[in-house]
Amino acid sequence: MKNILIISLGVLILALSACAKEGEGGAATIEGKVMVRLINENTLDTLATYEALDERVYIVYGDADVYGDDVRTTYNGNYQFDYLYQGDYTVYAYSECLFNLVDCPGETSTVLKEVNISSSRETVTVPTLTINKYTK
């Protein structure tokens, strides 16, 4: 009887772990950096490029329609999402836009990267997200 209980418990744990989808609860990590490109809105010249302090970075789990979590960048522009399962993710930040640009008709656009975690304890480093900020 005890053996049947142990085997049943093992099968249940295996079944539950196989059902895990993208999202929180795993042992993988996604990390990266956000840089800011400061642009003169009149001349469109880049005035400076620097590490983004306290910018929000969002993560979408799998093919969800809304973001699952967000974090803020540290003093050096770094961010990290921990405790993730294997699967596909989208990481993004918002970049300012000028109203007169055809490719960015609103106030902001998204700068995004798609990421795949292929093993349960993997740390994936996302290519740098560079966002624009405008000044006069």
Side-chain angles (χ1 to χ4, degrees), residues 18-51:
C19 293
K21 293 189 173 199
E22 293 93 348
E24 296 177 345
T29 299
I30 293 175
E31 63 183 16
K33 180 185 268 307
V34 179
M35 297 292 291
V36 174
R37 183 174 32 236
L38 184 63
I39 300 172
N40 180 305
E41 67 183 45
N42 296 318
T43 66
L44 300 182
D45 291 331
T46 298
L47 304 175
T49 302
Y50 54 90
E51 297 161 330

Side-chain angles (χ1 to χ4, degrees), residues 52-74:
L53 167 67
D54 205 33
E55 287 290 331
R56 282 190 187 275
V57 180
Y58 302 86
I59 189 168
V60 177
Y61 304 140
D63 59 359
D65 292 331
V66 296
Y67 73 91
D69 197 7
D70 68 303
V71 294
R72 290 196 177 266
T73 58
T74 61

